[in-house]
Amino acid sequence: RAAFLERIAEEIEARGAAITEVGHLETGLPRARMDGERGRTTGQLRLFASHIRQGAHLDVRHDAALPERKPLPRPDLRLIQRPLGPVAVFGASNFPLAFSVAGGDTASALAAGCPVVVKGHSAHPGTGEVVAEAVLAAIEALDLPRGVFSLVQGGDRRTGEALVSHPLIQAVGFTGSLTGGRALFDLCAARPQPIPFFGELGSVNPMFVLPQAMAARADQIATGWVASLTLGAGQFCTNPGLAVAIDGPEADAFARHAADGLAAVGPQVMLTDGIASAYREGASRVGAGQGVRALHASEPSGRNATPFLYEVGGEHFLAQPDLAHEVFGPLGLLVRVADTEQMVQVAQAMEGQLTVTLQMDGGDLDLARRLSPILERKAGRLLANGFPTGVEVADAMVHGGPYPASTNFGATSVGTLSIRRWLRPVSYQNWP
Amino acid sequence: RAAFLERIAEEIEARGAAITEVGHLETGLPRARMDGERGRTTGQLRLFASHIRQGAHLDVRHDAALPERKPLPRPDLRLIQRPLGPVAVFGASNFPLAFSVAGGDTASALAAGCPVVVKGHSAHPGTGEVVAEAVLAAIEALDLPRGVFSLVQGGDRRTGEALVSHPLIQAVGFTGSLTGGRALFDLCAARPQPIPFFGELGSVNPMFVLPQAMAARADQIATGWVASLTLGAGQFCTNPGLAVAIDGPEADAFARHAADGLAAVGPQVMLTDGIASAYREGASRVGAGQGVRALHASEPSGRNATPFLYEVGGEHFLAQPDLAHEVFGPLGLLVRVADTEQMVQVAQAMEGQLTVTLQMDGGDLDLARRLSPILERKAGRLLANGFPTGVEVADAMVHGGPYPASTNFGATSVGTLSIRRWLRPVSYQNWP
């Protein structure tokens, strides 16, 4: 199985130039980005290969028999994790390689021993096809059963609905929108035999700028924020769309720097026309919010995204929960809270998130200690003095979080722990 | 937290006599059974105390920073499992201690760090009350926040519905019927923020008697089966209600022995009037099945259960899937299959189960090898040459299985692995 994953990585590399070319044309993503994402994808496949060679994911446990125990003897019990069965994977539009046909869900499910049926995303059918060829070539080279992997392309919404409703499918991995994800989640729960739906639905990824850090380096934080916010045209699940800071002259400086930084960001091609038009609508919606002021406005046209920066007072923000919803694209909202109390209130009011970031200095520790217990209930990953884009594929990564960030906050969709989604324990009692 | 669990165990022991007396009067279970179950319950609490002292459940992972890595440095990442939040627990009628107020779900959720709200079962309110007193005494003794544990008693179905719908509840543990469990599962999935529902719904626990074992020791297997089938008046989730054997003179001998054994079992008081009347209905339903013959019939009256033994041919059994459904009580059904092929078909047709048992000898290994890959997809626990009643509380136990045995076949409700249901991973990036 590990050899299979490694072979897929090799077959993808052998098709590297074609994948980059097709992907660039289909998605508008720069060629360098396609190359980088290919490296992430093959690295991910190899990481799972080495992970399953170690075997810790099997959770092997053994309680030896105690035949002399009173009042009753204990039987011999051995536990091991076994694959759930066939898994349906829905690729994301925003990572045509790393979260798609042979992305993290597929790699972890194959590593667990589950056959995979991928529903290819309509934003990059050609890229998906070439990657599927690579997987099929690996199957052929290693003489594995063909049913181990299939790619379903095209069709409308009913294709996906039929896939998750199929009685043989035992679990679903999904990366995409809240609306689409929730609809499929509901279908999975309503089946005669309900199955788990692991949906990663994105989030607004708030960044709290604590007072000492703001006083010490407002410029630097603003620069980093602008870069992270606009990375990939703001089409990452982890772009930090929300900054929370205490009102005052430092926040003014931060806002000015961020606005200047965004003004220098040129238009970026978005993944699909639908995403681009949803972005324009989202920007209008936020801009029309009560008490919302524009710090940097732009006129995105066609499939191009240009950045926006808005600001709003803490009270107005708390009164309009809609303002906390993700706008997929390079749009930032600065929430100017009156004081630390209101900052804590904003933290408490937050929905589930993939990530939450604190910008903090030594003098901010007391406030950070107040915020931490609130924030770690709200997000799967907490960052100090960094930016959330760039989701490391590692053992200790969590990409997931309380709903609506994901549908299953006991799970992660990135990192080696993600294999656990596709496993179930079986116990063997006195088994020969 | 471990000290809290141990203190609960002590407080339960201090109330041991009262618990046994009240429980015996409420449930009709023998005093010795109440004493034994109390030992299981306190042992379970202490097992979780020692389990969390070891810390393996926290799944601590650390990826150290690689500041020199190209093209991008790796941040420092630390992962730890954190409690999900408040958990609702629905106790079972059939284990007024071990699967109730301070039973496995409560013990594992408290061990994980989750506050617990128990919906007490109406079949043993007094027992529940005394156990809740023990938990509250432990809270008081250790000066813990009162909100860590509550018991809700009485009310109709709407009480449970309100509990699982409460926005602060983050997960549910349930042991009970398929109908009741599925209704609550559906409510959990339909919430604005869906939450996981871990329901253990019981199963018929098939036992396959392979030919060599049958030839060698039909009597012995029949005797063991009768004992396991009638244990606790057949009111365990793991009573083996179904035996599958190849038709022939050995099966005749097995059937005769089982019928004789059951004839010697006297009436046993069932837990509630509702369970007793459902048992009588179930017995009539099976008896009226096409091709079903009675080998031992009885006339249960009032709250007393008396055993039944039926037999049916493999073809008739496969044509009537209803016959494979659990009848809660001491009712056995012997399926006489024509040959090993039909035995394999019966295995394939099975729904999800908590347990499956093989009675096998050395000469049965080939057939066992054919059945194993089918059966391990159907059940959470596989036994060789044993009987499934007696669910060991251990590291390697799995009490769960594919739907309808449980609603979440990646989980177990017994054993230390059950703590995983109440945990979610959080990753800390460059966190001070």
Side-chain angles (χ1 to χ4, degrees):
Chain A
R1 208 180 285 161
F4 177 40
L5 295 170
E6 286 163 347
R7 184 64 185 241
I8 297 174
E10 286 162 28
E11 298 286 349
I12 287 175
E13 278 160 0
R15 290 162 180 79
I19 289 171
T20 289
E21 200 49 36
V22 175
H24 167 65
L25 290 172
E26 282 185 324
T27 64
L29 293 173
R31 288 191 178 81
R33 153 73 193 273
M34 292 300 299
D35 286 343
E37 194 181 326
R38 192 176 70 243
R40 179 191 177 93
T41 307
T42 53
Q44 192 162 247
L45 287 158
R46 292 194 172 105
L47 179 67
F48 277 108
S50 95
H51 184 65
I52 59 176
R53 282 213 178 90
Q54 289 159 33
H57 68 295
L58 294 176
D59 227 334
V60 174
R61 293 160 173 231
H62 181 208
D63 293 304
L66 300 174
E68 311 298 333
R69 193 185 61 173
K70 303 288 169 200
L72 288 170
R74 180 169 83 177
D76 181 87
L77 289 166
R78 289 171 187 275
L79 181 149
I80 191 169
Q81 297 280 355
R82 309 280 291 154
L84 278 186
V87 168
V89 169
F90 289 74
S93 64
N94 59 344
F95 280 87
L97 298 172
F99 288 82
S100 188
V101 174
D105 283 346
T106 299
S108 55
L110 291 177
C114 297
V116 169
V117 183
V118 175
K119 169 73 181 72
H121 199 285
S122 57
H124 52 264
T127 316
E129 207 63 34
V130 182
V131 173
E133 268 174 39
V135 180
L136 294 175
I139 289 176
E140 210 153 293
L142 300 177
D143 203 19
L144 299 175
R146 276 296 301 270
V148 161
F149 175 86
S150 341
L151 170 63
V152 181
Q153 294 260 41
D156 58 14
R157 218 176 45 190
R158 284 169 301 177
T159 313
E161 292 172 359
L163 183 55
V164 306
S165 306
H166 193 286
L168 286 179
I169 292 293
Q170 295 299 304
V172 179
F174 174 93
T175 310
S177 71
L178 176 56
T179 321
R182 182 65 195 246
L184 292 174
F185 170 89
D186 289 343
L187 277 178
C188 288
R191 288 166 48 123
Q193 176 221 357
I195 56 171
F197 176 87
F198 297 98
E200 192 267 89
L201 312 177
S203 77
V204 70
N205 303 296
M207 170 179 84
F208 291 79
V209 188
L210 305 200
Q212 297 297 318
M214 184 64 106
R217 48 196 169 89
D219 310 8
Q220 193 189 326
I221 297 170
T223 306
W225 186 44
V226 164
S228 183
L229 176 62
T230 57
L231 200 68
Q235 298 170 118
F236 290 177
C237 309
T238 52
N239 295 109
L242 205 67
V244 184
I246 293 173
D247 202 9
E250 281 99 352
D252 294 344
F254 173 81
R256 213 164 39 239
H257 269 93
D260 290 351
L262 287 174
V265 174
Q268 292 171 284
V269 184
M270 296 199 92
L271 292 158
T272 69
D273 293 335
I275 288 175
S277 88
Y279 174 61
R280 290 192 298 271
E281 281 163 32
S284 311
R285 175 174 61 74
V286 174
Q290 212 180 346
V292 174
R293 291 172 302 275
L295 294 173
H296 173 76
S298 61
E299 300 226 341
S301 68
R303 220 168 112 180
N304 279 331
T306 47
F308 285 87
L309 179 62
Y310 293 107
E311 65 172 14
V312 66
E315 211 147 314
H316 279 299
F317 179 76
L318 287 167
Q320 301 170 83
D322 267 15
L323 289 179
H325 292 166
E326 184 184 15
V327 175
F328 200 65
L331 178 145
L333 175 62
L334 168 63
V335 181
R336 290 172 176 259
V337 292
D339 48 24
T340 55
E341 281 314 307
Q342 203 171 49
M343 187 177 268
V344 170
Q345 283 171 32
V346 167
Q348 281 163 338
M350 264 170 30
E351 292 191 308
Q353 305 287 341
L354 293 170
T355 73
V356 174
T357 301
L358 293 190
Q359 304 294 352
M360 55 185 286
D361 273 5
D364 293 315
L365 266 180
D366 280 349
L367 179 53
R369 284 206 187 91
R370 270 190 76 191
L371 289 169
S372 295
I374 303 167
L375 299 179
E376 63 191 13
R377 286 169 170 76
K378 303 279 189 175
R381 179 162 56 113
L382 271 67
L383 299 89
N385 298 324
F387 295 94
T389 42
V391 182
E392 190 68 33
V393 182
D395 288 332
M397 175 50 67
V398 175
H399 193 59
Y403 190 87
S406 74
T407 54
N408 196 311
F409 71 156
T412 171
S413 69
V414 175
T416 52
L417 191 61
S418 67
I419 196 173
R420 201 174 272 177
R421 297 175 295 167
W422 321 120
L423 294 166
R424 56 179 274 260
V426 178
S427 178
Y428 298 83
Q429 183 168 328
N430 294 335
W431 201 251
Chain B
R1 209 180 282 162
F4 177 40
L5 295 170
E6 286 163 348
R7 184 64 185 242
I8 297 174
E10 286 163 29
E11 298 286 348
I12 287 175
E13 278 160 0
R15 291 161 179 79
I19 290 171
T20 290
E21 201 49 37
V22 175
H24 167 65
L25 290 172
E26 282 185 324
T27 64
L29 293 172
R31 287 190 178 81
R33 154 72 193 273
M34 291 301 299
D35 286 343
E37 195 181 325
R38 193 176 69 243
R40 179 191 177 92
T41 307
T42 53
Q44 191 162 247
L45 287 159
R46 292 193 171 104
L47 179 67
F48 277 108
S50 95
H51 184 65
I52 59 176
R53 282 213 177 89
Q54 289 159 35
H57 68 295
L58 294 176
D59 227 334
V60 174
R61 293 161 172 231
H62 181 208
D63 293 303
L66 300 174
E68 310 298 333
R69 193 184 61 174
K70 303 287 169 200
L72 288 170
R74 180 169 83 178
D76 181 88
L77 288 166
R78 290 170 187 275
L79 181 149
I80 191 169
Q81 297 280 355
R82 308 280 291 154
L84 278 186
V87 168
V89 169
F90 289 74
S93 64
N94 59 344
F95 280 87
L97 298 173
F99 288 82
S100 189
V101 174
D105 283 346
T106 299
S108 55
L110 291 177
C114 297
V116 170
V117 183
V118 175
K119 169 73 181 72
H121 199 285
S122 57
H124 52 265
T127 315
E129 206 63 34
V130 182
V131 173
E133 267 174 38
V135 180
L136 294 175
I139 289 176
E140 210 153 292
L142 299 177
D143 202 20
L144 299 174
R146 276 296 301 270
V148 161
F149 175 86
S150 341
L151 170 63
V152 181
Q153 294 259 40
D156 59 14
R157 219 177 43 190
R158 284 169 302 177
T159 313
E161 292 172 359
L163 183 55
V164 305
S165 305
H166 193 286
L168 287 179
I169 292 293
Q170 295 299 303
V172 179
F174 174 94
T175 310
S177 72
L178 176 56
T179 321
R182 182 67 195 245
L184 292 174
F185 170 88
D186 289 343
L187 277 178
C188 288
R191 288 167 48 123
Q193 176 222 357
I195 56 171
F197 176 87
F198 297 98
E200 192 269 88
L201 312 177
S203 77
V204 71
N205 303 296
M207 170 179 84
F208 291 79
V209 189
L210 305 200
Q212 297 297 317
M214 184 64 106
R217 48 197 169 89
D219 310 7
Q220 194 189 326
I221 297 171
T223 306
W225 186 45
V226 164
S228 183
L229 176 62
T230 57
L231 200 68
Q235 298 170 119
F236 290 177
C237 308
T238 52
N239 295 109
L242 205 67
V244 184
I246 293 172
D247 203 9
E250 281 99 353
D252 295 343
F254 173 82
R256 213 164 39 239
H257 269 93
D260 290 351
L262 286 174
V265 174
Q268 292 171 284
V269 184
M270 296 199 92
L271 292 158
T272 69
D273 293 335
I275 289 175
S277 88
Y279 175 62
R280 290 192 298 270
E281 281 163 32
S284 311
R285 174 174 61 75
V286 174
Q290 212 180 347
V292 174
R293 292 173 301 275
L295 294 173
H296 173 76
S298 61
E299 300 225 341
S301 68
R303 221 168 110 179
N304 279 331
T306 48
F308 285 87
L309 179 62
Y310 293 107
E311 65 172 14
V312 66
E315 211 147 314
H316 279 299
F317 179 76
L318 287 167
Q320 301 170 82
D322 266 15
L323 289 179
H325 292 167
E326 184 184 15
V327 175
F328 200 66
L331 178 146
L333 175 62
L334 169 63
V335 181
R336 289 171 176 260
V337 292
D339 48 25
T340 55
E341 282 314 308
Q342 204 171 50
M343 187 177 268
V344 170
Q345 283 171 32
V346 167
Q348 281 163 338
M350 262 171 31
E351 292 190 309
Q353 305 287 342
L354 293 170
T355 73
V356 174
T357 301
L358 293 190
Q359 304 294 352
M360 56 185 285
D361 273 5
D364 293 315
L365 265 180
D366 280 348
L367 179 54
R369 283 207 187 91
R370 271 191 75 192
L371 289 169
S372 295
I374 302 167
L375 300 179
E376 63 191 13
R377 285 169 170 78
K378 302 278 189 176
R381 179 163 56 115
L382 272 67
L383 298 88
N385 298 324
F387 295 94
T389 42
V391 182
E392 190 68 34
V393 181
D395 288 332
M397 175 50 67
V398 175
H399 193 59
Y403 191 87
S406 74
T407 54
N408 196 311
F409 70 156
T412 171
S413 68
V414 175
T416 52
L417 191 62
S418 67
I419 197 173
R420 201 175 273 178
R421 298 175 294 167
W422 321 120
L423 293 166
R424 55 180 274 260
V426 178
S427 178
Y428 299 83
Q429 183 168 329
N430 294 335
W431 201 251

